[in-house]
Amino acid sequence: MPRSYLRYVSRGCTGVISANEGNIALVRTGEGDSEAVVVCTPALENVHIFDAATMAIVGFIPGGNELAPVTALQTSPAGDQLAVGYGDGCVSVYLTADWSGLMTRGLGHKLTSKVLCFGITADSTTVASGGSDTDIVVWDVSTQDAQYRLRGHKSAILGLAFLEETKRIVSVAGDGLVKVWDHDVRACVHSFIGASSQATSLCIDAMETRLVVGARDNILKVYNLQEKEGTEEEAFAPHGTLERQNHRPVAAMRYNPSHTLLAVQSADRVIEFFAVQSEKGVSSRLTRQKKRKRAKAREDTETDLPDPAGPDAADGAAVGQRTALSEYLRLDNVVLRADSKIRSFAFVPQKANEPRGAPDRLFVGYGDNQFEEFLLEFSDVKTNPVILSRGKRCDIIGHRGEIRSSAMSHSNRFIATCAVGSVKVWSIELEAEGEEGAIVDCTQTVLIPEPTTLTFLPGDQHLVVGTKEGTLHLVSLAQSEVIESFNAHEGEVASVVLKGDRRGVASGGKDKKVKLWALDLVTDESTGSKRVTLAESSVLEFTDAVTAIAFSEDNKFFSVALHDNTVKIYFADSCKFFLSLYGHKYPVTAVSFSSDSRLLATASIDKNVKLWGLDFGDCHKSIFAHDDYVTDVKFVGGTHYFWTTGKDGLVKCWDADHFTHVQTLKGHHGAVWSCELSGEGGVLISLGADRTLRSWVRTEELLFPEEEQEKEMQEAADRENAASLAFAALDKADAEVGVAGQRTALHLQASEDLVEALDLVTAELERKAEGGTHAEMKHPLLGALTPLEYLAKVVEGIKGHSIRYVLSGLPTDYCRRLLSFILDLLKRRTCRTEAASRVTLFLIRQLSTEIASDAALRSTVLILQKQLQAALMIEVNNHGFNNAGLAMLASHIQEQKLASAEFFDISQKKGHKKARN
């Protein structure tokens, strides 16, 4: 009988505020008193939603694929939709009112490409996405399907924008080209070189009159979008250049809500601002320019006055002619210089009744997992027209750098983590029925410059933290501060662990020493009360630097891993040498004892995990555990199961008795540096370079390793097969406009599920038609549904952007069968009309040849046509009735507002005096 184990499943992650990939976006939600501004940030595969007023997280949007991070966010011009792009080429669109999905994970780009930018029409019905595959995919939000794909750029698409008046799409790519596409014709109508170097972004003003293109140099090129004499060349003619102070490449450009400022983000820590001049300001600047030119001409020695329309040295344009220099004014005194590298920025959308001159709010997302608010206040002082000030900052619930070490508390209710600059303590939710394993919140933060390792002391009220300078800090969690420091080592502290008897700690460092510290009590001079302290008890010297230390639970042994690839075993009570373990080719990174002290597991940079017997020091097994070096190893309490983490981003479970790989957990976006287990192993928490704490909980579901391996191999084969077919189809298409999307393993699985559903429904209907004793017996998959209801559920589950790929995988016989079943579904009104009509239209196009030659199928289609027309007419009437009702309600509400504004009860007004009787 095959061995079975219990499966671990994900309980979510925390610790990420704003990931390095993607940009932040701001949305206004609610109306009236409930109106609020929320900040949407990319949090690896999810989107986190923060309240801009309190900087607290209020929700999140799950991504669906833990290995595909969010790479682009964009709100619609009306603010009612949020478009999300992922690292696997998928696109989702959500309603900002309730964050429900209009379109979820539509695949239009290549599987290996990233979605980098969006363009959304003013009515929020069409979305264009640009990716690293050099293609532009245009989506219809109402049908949840990709309409077409635009090709022509030779590099990644870095900027997109819609021109509402002309119904065109403007795109810029890393190849330096700016292309103009006609949305109706679906073709490129104009193309020009937008920058002398690699173009990086574009921006269009609200009036759609100016196009600004940023590049890798310090020059912004401005183009005129207004047509002159009906020629495209003049419509996109150069309008001048703007020079920036910063010479770093442009990362992003945005106008403020009132379109009076143009903010330009550089690829470092700077955001520059250009003031957009009004018509009066432009006229006055041109007048001053003419006066200066005439004054210079009068001072010239020549007798004839030069033509004031002569060339202007500043911009190559005639004096008095409008150029970019006359319309934009660089604000040298207003420069945002951040403390960290800026990843993205966004302005808060303007209210409908926003008073003129109100300050703008600017949110900046940093590369070290935080974002900050800035205020832009406008003044009448010409030398300083904009005053820039800092606002709130969101940085509490995440580390600034990679999480390099961790420690689980003895009560299993807290976990401490350390990264560059701080040590944080997180609470873990545990319920009476069982361990849930959800990380709730960051409860405490202690600022320590460069912590490297840490451990809890008994009672979970103190931490011992080792640093890169060789110092041990004793941290009081009650006071959230360092209460005492010890100069322990001459160099980095590599490991700090609690002794097996819980009466002290051991520390090891690069100075080739292991120091044993005893817990003691001293009188605090400031408070006069007793507090805990550390007292050095003994020192062990070695021939090489210490990399890891571990004690057995029974306090019989402790092990020391050295940089010379060996592991030394000592008796814990006498500190006498017991065994020396040889076998690893590279240094050991972590060691762990089993709870019965019979096995020792060692993890190494050589990508192997070795299991050693502690009776004679023999190596039981050497396991090739990860594709990159193994970073940590932990035994599960009371068992011989152990978990390993690796730099390849995986967390794996193993059976040390049978040397079996049990399960692989995926989800981290980068190296996993550490993992922690609760006492009985019910909760596993992994931590890594993506700054996240991911919790996994043990369930009652059985897991069979052989089946898991077969499933993984089958999924890998399906992905490879689907990817090869998709890439072959995409590579053969050289046309400028092509079909968007591609077949994936999920589409193949959906086709198989539909075939199984059709077989099941056919068999159930035949069984019912035969009657007899078996007529009332139903298939278990049907549950409480009838066969046609079950089929309707499967058909409605096919997403709009997947219909063509799912149905094209059906054999012809199943397509004919599905077409006849659609007719029955429409007659019984079991299936949604929208889903039935989409499936019917595609099947008719696919079976066009069979319909022309088969009279029976043709008659079915004719009947289906009448049924669809009747069903669609009912839907149209329902929509018309609902729209009329909503319009009536809107007019009624408006009338009530007007009535309350014009008529009021004077007795309720403040200061009214009642008449005396």
Side-chain angles (χ1 to χ4, degrees):
M1 183 176 179
R3 290 182 294 274
S4 62
Y5 304 86
L6 296 180
R7 185 184 297 275
Y8 281 75
V9 297
S10 175
R11 279 292 184 267
C13 68
T14 189
V16 179
I17 300 174
S18 179
N20 285 337
E21 288 192 276
N23 59 286
I24 65 173
L26 285 95
V27 181
R28 281 194 179 273
T29 60
E31 294 181 357
D33 296 336
S34 62
E35 186 179 27
V37 177
V38 296
V39 184
C40 302
T41 64
L44 300 179
E45 71 271 17
N46 303 321
V47 177
H48 282 178
I49 304 172
F50 293 86
D51 189 342
T54 62
M55 295 296 181
I57 186 169
V58 295
F60 76 99
I61 301 174
N65 184 359
E66 66 274 4
L67 299 180
V70 174
T71 55
L73 293 173
Q74 180 68 47
T75 55
S76 61
D80 58 338
Q81 294 179 9
L82 175 69
V84 184
Y86 297 94
D88 58 353
C90 293
V91 172
S92 298
V93 180
Y94 298 92
L95 283 174
T96 58
D98 55 359
W99 304 109
S100 59
L102 285 176
M103 181 179 69
T104 55
R105 296 196 61 78
L107 182 60
H109 297 272
K110 290 183 179 179
L111 284 169
T112 55
S113 65
K114 300 178 182 179
V115 179
L116 300 179
C117 55
F118 285 107
I120 306 178
T121 56
D123 56 2
S124 304
T125 59
T126 305
V127 176
S129 60
S132 59
D133 57 355
T134 73
D135 294 342
I136 301 170
V137 178
V138 181
W139 303 82
D140 188 344
V141 179
S142 59
T143 61
Q144 305 178 14
D145 195 10
Q147 293 181 310
Y148 55 91
R149 180 194 306 271
L150 297 173
R151 292 194 176 113
H153 286 287
K154 303 300 181 184
S155 186
I157 310 297
L158 301 177
L160 282 175
F162 272 95
L163 297 177
E164 297 294 336
E165 293 185 2
T166 57
K167 294 183 179 181
R168 290 177 178 176
I169 306 171
V170 182
S171 64
V172 65
D175 55 8
L177 292 178
V178 176
K179 287 183 176 291
V180 184
W181 312 81
D182 193 299
H183 180 48
D184 295 332
V185 180
R186 299 185 180 184
C188 179
V189 296
H190 189 50
S191 179
F192 58 93
I193 298 176
S196 56
S197 60
Q198 180 183 357
T200 56
S201 62
L202 63 80
C203 190
I204 296 177
D205 63 350
M207 302 302 294
E208 296 184 358
T209 58
R210 299 292 180 262
L211 167 67
V212 185
V213 179
R216 296 187 65 86
D217 53 19
N218 67 326
I219 301 298
L220 302 178
K221 289 194 174 183
V222 184
Y223 296 89
N224 180 28
L225 296 181
Q226 292 179 339
E227 295 187 4
K228 296 179 181 180
E229 299 180 1
T231 60
E232 295 296 334
E233 289 77 14
E234 292 187 1
F236 291 92
H239 193 63
T241 60
L242 301 174
E243 185 177 357
R244 299 186 295 122
Q245 299 182 54
N246 195 291
H247 288 261
R248 297 282 294 170
V250 175
M253 296 185 297
R254 282 182 175 82
Y255 285 96
N256 67 334
S258 59
H259 283 260
T260 57
L261 286 178
L262 173 64
V264 182
Q265 172 199 344
S266 303
D268 52 7
R269 305 181 180 187
V270 175
I271 296 179
E272 300 178 66
F273 297 92
F274 291 83
V276 181
Q277 301 296 298
S278 61
E279 289 295 330
K280 183 178 179 181
V282 173
S283 301
S284 61
R285 292 189 72 182
L286 293 177
T287 303
R288 289 194 302 268
Q289 186 183 32
K290 292 179 181 179
K291 289 182 179 179
R292 286 195 299 268
K293 191 68 176 179
R294 291 193 184 98
K296 184 178 179 181
R298 282 195 296 267
E299 294 175 359
D300 201 345
T301 56
E302 297 180 0
T303 56
D304 296 333
L305 184 66
D307 187 3
D312 183 16
D315 202 14
V319 175
Q321 182 180 352
R322 291 182 63 133
T323 63
L325 287 177
S326 61
E327 296 176 349
Y328 295 86
L329 175 63
R330 189 177 71 190
L331 303 178
D332 295 338
N333 297 329
V334 185
V335 179
L336 192 156
R337 301 186 187 276
D339 301 330
S340 305
K341 186 174 182 179
I342 299 175
R343 290 295 182 184
S344 61
F345 74 97
F347 285 97
V348 174
Q350 197 171 17
K351 286 184 180 179
N353 55 351
E354 187 85 29
R356 189 171 183 179
D360 286 332
R361 298 169 64 190
L362 175 70
F363 282 79
V364 177
Y366 297 116
D368 57 354
N369 196 27
Q370 60 178 328
F371 65 86
E372 187 177 7
E373 178 189 11
F374 289 86
L375 298 178
L376 296 170
E377 298 181 5
F378 300 93
S379 65
D380 297 331
V381 181
K382 294 184 178 180
T383 57
N384 192 16
V386 178
I387 302 174
L388 181 66
S389 60
R390 290 180 181 270
K392 299 179 181 179
R393 183 190 292 258
C394 181
D395 59 354
I396 298 298
I397 61 172
H399 282 286
R400 305 285 76 77
E402 299 180 5
I403 302 175
R404 301 307 296 254
S405 183
S406 61
M408 179 74 77
S409 66
H410 302 94
S411 63
N412 300 322
R413 292 187 176 274
F414 299 96
I415 183 171
T417 59
C418 68
V420 175
S422 65
V423 171
K424 291 181 179 291
V425 180
W426 312 76
S427 61
I428 303 174
E429 183 183 34
L430 299 175
E431 295 186 357
E433 294 79 6
E435 296 172 311
E436 288 299 318
I439 302 173
V440 179
D441 198 4
C442 175
T443 59
Q444 289 173 311
T445 300
V446 182
L447 300 180
I448 297 177
E450 292 183 321
T452 56
T453 180
L454 74 168
T455 186
F456 275 95
L457 292 183
D460 299 338
Q461 295 299 314
H462 296 83
L463 283 172
V464 178
V465 182
T467 65
K468 195 173 182 179
E469 294 82 8
T471 306
L472 288 183
H473 294 294
L474 183 60
V475 179
S476 172
L477 297 182
Q479 304 174 19
S480 295
E481 63 180 10
V482 177
I483 58 176
E484 194 173 0
S485 299
F486 307 90
N487 294 323
H489 297 272
E490 297 176 358
E492 179 181 339
V493 180
S495 179
V496 174
V497 296
L498 187 68
K499 290 182 180 180
D501 58 2
R502 299 190 176 187
R503 295 182 179 179
V505 297
S507 63
K510 288 188 176 181
D511 58 355
K512 307 176 184 179
K513 294 179 182 179
V514 170
K515 291 188 178 183
L516 302 180
W517 306 78
L519 297 179
D520 199 359
L521 292 176
V522 296
T523 302
D524 194 339
E525 297 178 356
S526 60
T527 62
S529 59
K530 296 286 186 179
R531 66 168 179 83
V532 70
T533 187
L534 299 178
E536 183 179 328
S537 59
S538 59
V539 179
L540 299 178
E541 296 187 359
F542 296 90
T543 58
D544 212 330
V546 178
T547 58
I549 306 173
F551 278 79
S552 61
E553 288 190 12
D554 57 3
N555 200 35
K556 184 178 181 180
F557 303 111
F558 74 90
S559 62
V560 180
L562 302 179
H563 203 266
D564 60 2
N565 313 338
T566 63
V567 179
K568 310 293 184 182
I569 309 295
Y570 289 83
F571 291 103
D573 53 356
S574 61
C575 295
K576 290 184 178 180
F577 177 77
F578 175 52
L579 290 172
S580 184
L581 308 179
Y582 300 90
H584 283 289
K585 298 179 181 178
Y586 291 97
V588 174
T589 57
V591 291
S592 179
F593 285 93
S594 61
S595 57
D596 57 4
S597 300
R598 296 179 59 187
L599 294 177
L600 177 71
T602 59
S604 173
I605 297 178
D606 60 8
K607 309 176 186 178
N608 292 322
V609 172
K610 292 184 181 294
L611 299 172
W612 311 83
L614 293 178
D615 294 332
F616 306 100
D618 56 325
C619 180
H620 290 183
K621 185 70 173 179
S622 181
I623 303 173
F624 184 80
H626 292 265
D627 293 333
D628 209 328
Y629 77 76
V630 188
T631 57
D632 198 7
V633 60
K634 291 284 194 313
F635 268 101
V636 178
T639 69
H640 281 179
Y641 305 150
F642 64 94
W643 288 88
T644 61
T645 60
K647 201 177 178 182
D648 56 359
L650 301 179
V651 183
K652 296 185 178 182
C653 181
W654 308 83
D655 186 348
D657 291 332
H658 302 92
F659 315 123
T660 304
H661 174 212
V662 178
Q663 187 181 3
T664 299
L665 302 179
K666 302 177 181 179
H668 281 279
H669 299 256
V672 185
W673 295 118
S674 173
C675 69
E676 298 295 334
L677 288 159
S678 61
E680 298 298 328
V683 176
L684 168 70
I685 298 177
S686 56
L687 315 97
D690 54 5
R691 307 186 182 102
T692 61
L693 294 85
R694 293 185 178 268
S695 59
W696 317 82
V697 63
R698 186 173 57 201
T699 64
E700 297 299 325
E701 181 184 355
L702 293 180
L703 179 147
F704 298 93
E706 293 81 3
E707 294 182 359
E708 290 295 311
Q709 293 177 4
E710 293 178 0
K711 184 179 178 181
E712 289 180 2
M713 294 175 61
Q714 183 63 37
E715 290 178 353
D718 291 343
R719 285 195 300 268
E720 184 178 355
N721 183 26
S724 62
L725 292 175
F727 290 157
L730 289 173
D731 292 339
K732 290 180 181 178
D734 296 330
E736 187 176 72
V737 180
V739 178
Q742 54 191 289
R743 187 188 301 276
T744 65
L746 294 177
H747 296 146
L748 297 176
Q749 183 62 41
S751 298
E752 295 177 1
D753 294 341
L754 184 56
V755 168
E756 293 176 359
L758 290 171
D759 289 337
L760 174 61
V761 172
T762 302
E764 286 293 311
L765 293 178
E766 291 177 353
R767 183 182 54 77
K768 281 189 175 183
E770 292 176 358
T773 58
H774 301 286
E776 296 182 359
M777 296 179 60
K778 295 177 64 176
H779 196 280
L781 287 178
L782 295 179
L785 302 176
T786 64
L788 289 179
E789 288 176 348
Y790 176 76
L791 181 61
K793 180 181 177 182
V794 175
V795 170
E796 291 176 355
I798 304 175
K799 297 179 180 179
H801 54 78
S802 303
I803 285 180
R804 71 163 72 96
Y805 303 107
V806 174
L807 297 183
S808 61
L810 296 180
T812 304
D813 180 56
Y814 284 90
C815 290
R816 297 166 63 101
R817 198 186 305 178
L818 179 59
L819 201 61
S820 62
F821 280 136
I822 291 291
L823 181 59
D824 295 334
L825 293 177
L826 288 174
K827 288 180 179 178
R828 292 172 172 80
R829 300 177 64 86
T830 307
C831 183
R832 287 189 294 110
T833 305
E834 181 182 358
S837 60
R838 288 182 182 178
V839 172
T840 302
L841 290 176
F842 183 85
L843 290 176
I844 289 176
R845 286 196 297 265
Q846 189 167 348
L847 297 174
S848 57
T849 305
E850 287 80 1
I851 293 173
S853 59
D854 191 339
L857 184 59
R858 191 162 56 251
S859 63
T860 302
V861 172
L862 293 175
I863 298 174
L864 189 58
Q865 179 186 8
K866 296 180 181 179
Q867 291 288 339
L868 269 179
Q869 287 178 346
L872 290 174
M873 185 57 64
I874 294 174
E875 293 292 330
V876 170
N877 292 335
N878 289 337
H879 282 292
F881 181 82
N882 293 336
N883 288 334
L886 291 174
M888 185 188 69
L889 288 175
S891 62
H892 180 65
I893 293 173
Q894 187 67 22
E895 289 176 0
Q896 286 184 338
K897 289 182 178 179
L898 292 175
S900 62
E902 296 179 2
F903 302 96
F904 54 87
D905 186 0
I906 193 172
S907 63
Q908 302 298 324
K909 290 297 181 180
K910 186 177 180 180
H912 172 69
K913 295 181 180 180
K914 295 183 179 180
R916 295 180 180 179
N917 295 330

